[in-house]
Amino acid sequence: MSSTSQDTPKTYKTARAFCLTSAFWFTMATSAGMIGAGYLMAPDFMANIEWLHFGRIRPIHVNINLFGFVTPGLLAAAFYFLPRLLRTELYSERLGIVSCVLWNIFVFAGVIGIAIGYTQGREYAELAWPVDILVGISFGLVVFNLFMTVKQRKEPILYVSIWYACAAVLLTATTYCIGNVIWRPDTGALLGIPDAIILWFYGHNVFGLLLTPLGLAVAYYVLPLVCRSPLYSHTLSLIGFWSLLVVYTHIGTHHLLQVPVPTWLKVIAIVDSVAMVIPVMIFLINIWYTVKGKLGVIYADIAGKFIFTGTIMYFFVNIQGSIMSLPQVQRVTHFNNWVVAHAHLGVLGFAGMTALGGLYYILPKITGKPLYSRFLADLQYWFVLIGVVGFTIGLTIAGLIQGNAWIIGETLYRTLPEIHIYYVARASTGLLVAIGAYLGLYNIFRTLFFNPGVSK
Amino acid sequence: MRMTPKVVVVGSFSILAAVVFVMVCWPYAHRDMTPSEIFRPRTLVEAAGRAIYVKNGCVYCHTQSIRVVDWGHGAERIAQAGDYVGDRPILLGSQRTGVDLSQEGGEHPDDWHIAHFVNPRYTRPNSIMPPFKWLGMESLNTLTQYIQSLGMKKADVRMARQRYWKEESIKAYEAGPDVNAKWLADIVPEGWRNLPNPYATTPAGLKRGQFVYQQFCIGCHGPIGDGMGPAQPYIYPPPLNFTILKGREISGGIIYYQIMNGITGTAMPYFKRELESQKIWEVGDYVAVYFINQSDANKDPCGIDASWEPYDCPDGAEARQRNR
């Protein structure tokens, strides 16, 4: 890999801080997930604990994953590759540290808030107004830092990863404020059906304008470097970038196909959901042609392995997403565990694995030493991979049972015993992911702080 | 195309602005906030109950969004935009780990809900909802008021029905077992009262009946059918003690009808959505054989024995003669 990691004495404090943030919150997110899975398996498990019960642990799990684990993990890589691709320093490491500390404070405050009942009760927009403001400031600082870094660049050409990273933080800072109805501090919500429309516009854009572009940025940066291959096509990256922004932003209303919202809005959402194959396949063609013939190299590199697997998950989750947006399909798949499987495939399988790959790529570069343990990282890879695949298969089956039973007239209570075994399977495979998270935290912590490895 | 910072920022912001205008602002500007015919505003207590609902994440397992394809509870009312004009935030939900609650109001009396919140398995043995006993009785009552308002004007009609029959059923219960058993039989339409259980009592049938009993009935009526299930302390009139029914001419038809239709006003829900005919007859026979110790299964009038029936109906010869 690149031997230029010591050209300039960079400290990468911000990248380190975000690495640790991501690794820590990954353990918290999976622990929360395990508690939630426990409730679904055995509802009297941990009974009557106010701040842990399912209705609170589920949003805690989701928010930690989105804002504690995946986003910081991808940002850590961005804080590394931006200065490198631009041949400059990060504008301000101190500002970066401040933004990371604030970031952790908002995740922590958000989690505590939900745990004690301060929630806006809107999926993906649960965080209370004061926390929303903290989120806005944290995002603002990251945006400022990255853009000032771009401004002071010595490299005139902007590589595709930079477009994605900059657009992701900038646009998400905006959609976060819109989706959380930030101008209404008391409820953070609109009235009636428009509230659902604005919520799902924002909700789906958490994936569309934050996790996906940041993940693609990391993949576009790491995979060509791992394979030592030039990017297959600049034109494809261009079309992929702009088509992603145009198409992805339209599709949120596919969550509301069975709800009384205007039909034209549903039609747009369905058409664009299907059209998602364009940006997705453009990216995949571009990146898979880039790594063509180098799968052995990828397999030998822990970062490449994680991220390449992420691109495969990206393929599946998006094809699945396009199919799920069709009204006839959604009659079966809506409201049940099929969607939960889909969400995990996207957030953990694609974005999460890409974030982990990004972390394992930058850690040796920013510490100047090899990973503390390649074995632990490999173990984590297999645990997460088996976990997320098993999880997806199990919950997809459960979802098909539920959806098909409901549509032929079975009542919900009758389907509960049918899917119990799949809740057990999901908790079991989820346990693998959780173990993987703790292994990762230990490995990353040791790599950063008590790494006996010899400097390169 | 040369990607400069300006192109990235201006380009992506323009796209976002255009999409926000089309997908958010335009539908907002053309929103229809006309209340539907079932809409009514919430009372203060109901609004407070809704806050508890939001605070505890009930929305993650319960939708309030009835679709065209739905069969279950509430399916008689497909959701309309005008039903939600008082909702901030709107609580459509995204997953049905539990049932849809759009039309939950008046489906059960208040005491059923309290028992259900204390531990959902007390009234619904198959439920996977976590217990909410920790909320305390005051909050549970407030939350129940909100649940009973779901469905708005339609819920109010159902609640009036619940209250009327609650009084009637308490009157009957407090008048003693004789009156109560007679009341329970008399409210069943005559055709059903004279109908014996058309299924033969068989070991396999009793086993199936027990299976159904354990999944649907045991929380209130208890494992030995004496009405002392774990829900009993919260429910009034209390769950029926089946053992008092012996010698009171309780036909299979009466049991079937009461299981199928439920007894509005009491915690006894209807099971006609959950259980098909055979399941109701067989759980009825299970109750009759084991708890009442008196079953009229497979008695005259039988008509023609079904081809799979293991025994000829004992009075079948007579029936065959008569029908010739």
Side-chain angles (χ1 to χ4, degrees), chain B residues 196-214:
Chain B
N197 192 325
Y199 284 76
T201 301
T202 65
L206 287 173
K207 207 157 184 192
R208 289 192 293 264
Q210 183 189 33
F211 181 69
V212 174
Y213 186 84
Q214 287 173 345

Side-chain angles (χ1 to χ4, degrees), chain A residues 250-270:
Chain A
H250 280 98
I251 68 179
T253 317
H254 68 204
H255 291 257
L256 302 172
L257 295 187
Q258 300 163 340
V259 170
V261 302
T263 305
W264 61 267
L265 211 54
K266 298 179 186 176
V267 173
I268 295 179
I270 296 166

Side-chain angles (χ1 to χ4, degrees), chain B residues 236-285:
Chain B
Y236 198 78
L240 183 62
N241 175 358
F242 296 127
T243 59
I244 66 161
L245 295 179
K246 190 169 186 184
R248 295 187 197 276
E249 306 200 328
I250 300 297
S251 68
I254 291 175
I255 300 173
Y256 184 99
Y257 188 87
Q258 299 289 38
I259 297 171
M260 172 180 77
N261 240 21
I263 303 165
T264 306
T266 77
M268 176 71 185
Y270 59 82
F271 287 96
K272 54 176 136 191
R273 288 187 204 267
E274 258 94 11
L275 297 173
E276 306 90 328
S277 161
Q278 183 188 1
K279 293 193 170 93
I280 300 181
W281 284 119
E282 287 184 337
V283 74
D285 198 38

Side-chain angles (χ1 to χ4, degrees), chain B residues 43-262:
Chain B
T43 65
L44 283 176
V45 184
E46 288 161 4
R50 190 172 199 264
I52 297 174
Y53 186 94
V54 169
K55 191 173 166 180
N56 289 298
C58 305
V59 68
Y60 298 105
C61 293
H62 293 286
T63 56
Q64 290 185 23
S65 177
I66 293 285
R67 316 170 291 170
V68 186
V69 294
D70 283 331
W71 287 61
H73 170 39
E76 276 65 38
R77 167 74 191 183
I78 310 298
Q80 295 176 15
D83 300 351
Y84 299 105
V85 294
D87 290 3
R88 186 198 299 270
I90 194 166
L91 297 171
L92 293 173
S94 62
Q95 222 194 330
R96 276 188 197 158
T97 305
V99 293
D100 186 281
L101 297 180
S102 305
Q103 292 291 333
E104 180 62 29
E107 185 75 0
H108 303 279
D110 293 352
D111 51 353
W112 185 96
H113 281 292
I114 297 297
H116 184 68
F117 282 132
V118 167
N119 189 321
R121 278 147 300 289
Y122 287 180
T123 54
R124 282 288 191 181
N126 273 344
S127 168
I128 58 167
M129 177 164 129
F132 285 84
K133 191 178 183 183
W134 57 270
L135 269 176
M137 276 307 158
E138 200 185 328
S139 292
L140 286 184
N141 279 317
T142 311
L143 181 57
T144 300
Q145 290 317 299
Y146 169 62
I147 301 299
Q148 298 290 39
S149 78
L150 290 169
M152 296 168 279
K153 285 181 186 166
K154 280 163 116 29
D156 294 343
V157 172
R158 291 190 291 264
M159 278 312 287
R161 202 178 283 160
Q162 290 284 0
R163 278 189 289 269
Y164 173 78
W165 288 105
K166 169 75 83 192
E167 264 178 44
E168 294 293 306
S169 62
I170 288 178
K171 243 184 271 167
Y173 172 71
E174 291 181 345
D178 290 335
V179 177
N180 197 28
K182 186 169 183 315
W183 182 75
L184 287 171
D186 286 350
I187 52 178
V188 173
E190 196 183 347
W192 288 92
R193 258 183 278 157
N194 304 331
L195 200 63
N197 192 325
Y199 284 76
T201 301
T202 65
L206 287 173
K207 207 157 184 192
R208 289 192 293 264
Q210 183 189 33
F211 181 69
V212 174
Y213 186 84
Q214 287 173 345
Q215 288 191 66
F216 291 91
C217 321
I218 199 166
C220 294
H221 295 288
I224 55 169
D226 58 354
M228 295 300 278
Q232 185 270 341
Y234 303 93
I235 286 173
Y236 198 78
L240 183 62
N241 175 358
F242 296 127
T243 59
I244 66 161
L245 295 179
K246 190 169 186 184
R248 295 187 197 276
E249 306 200 328
I250 300 297
S251 68
I254 291 175
I255 300 173
Y256 184 99
Y257 188 87
Q258 299 289 38
I259 297 171
M260 172 180 77
N261 240 21

Side-chain angles (χ1 to χ4, degrees), chain A residues 80-113:
Chain A
Y80 168 79
F81 67 63
L82 239 91
R84 294 197 63 82
L85 286 167
L86 298 165
R87 293 183 203 280
T88 181
E89 303 283 317
L90 185 67
Y91 169 70
S92 166
E93 291 287 356
R94 183 176 292 175
L95 188 63
I97 293 292
V98 171
S99 62
C100 187
V101 169
L102 263 183
W103 197 285
N104 280 283
I105 292 175
F106 96 63
V107 177
F108 192 72
V111 167
I112 297 297

